[in-house]
Amino acid sequence: MYALVEILGRQYKAEEGKELTVDRLNMEEGSTYEIEKVLAVVDGENAKFGTPYVEGAKVTATVGPEFRGEKVKVYKFRRRKGYRRTQGHRETYSTITINTIVG
């Protein structure tokens, strides 16, 4: 059984017991996170698809530790103008563990 969920504007495939890496959630580690925006629930041959969300379906997850991703380098360049700019940043991500899928 799995569900397609929307977390902070991005879609993820959530399976019970699996760990997902999502954009930073502003929550404490160990707290429970309920996802109400469920796009689809698939259980073997049975599948429910929402328009846009499945009514009555929700996914509960436990928030894990936060970590920072790899550095992303941004390089701007204009040919023949002597213009060069380098900038970098690192995104912060959260891990969540899917506990239950109700649908």
Side-chain angles (χ1 to χ4, degrees), residues 1 4 7 9 15 21 25 37 39 43 46 56 61 63 65 73-74 77 79 83 86-88 92 95:
M1 178 178 209
L4 300 177
I7 302 170
E15 296 181 67
T21 300
L25 299 172
K37 295 182 177 182
L39 301 166
D43 187 12
N46 302 328
V63 179
K73 289 191 176 182
V74 180
F77 173 80
R79 65 182 191 162
Y83 175 82
T86 304
Q87 183 182 5
T92 305
T95 56

Side-chain angles (χ1 to χ4, degrees), residues 6-71:
E6 183 179 320
I7 302 170
L8 299 175
R10 296 184 184 202
Q11 297 177 5
Y12 299 93
K13 181 180 178 181
E15 296 181 67
E16 290 183 10
K18 296 285 181 156
E19 197 170 87
L20 292 178
T21 300
V22 297
D23 289 338
R24 182 177 182 269
L25 299 172
N26 207 2
M27 301 179 76
E28 293 182 14
E29 185 176 341
S31 61
T32 303
Y33 180 54
E34 289 189 359
I35 305 162
E36 302 277 330
K37 295 182 177 182
V38 179
L39 301 166
V41 178
V42 179
D43 187 12
E45 295 292 318
N46 302 328
K48 292 182 194 174
F49 297 97
T51 55
Y53 306 117
V54 178
E55 288 187 30
K58 72 177 178 180
V59 176
T60 58
T62 305
V63 179
E66 293 182 355
F67 67 95
R68 299 194 61 188
E70 293 184 15
K71 180 173 262 193

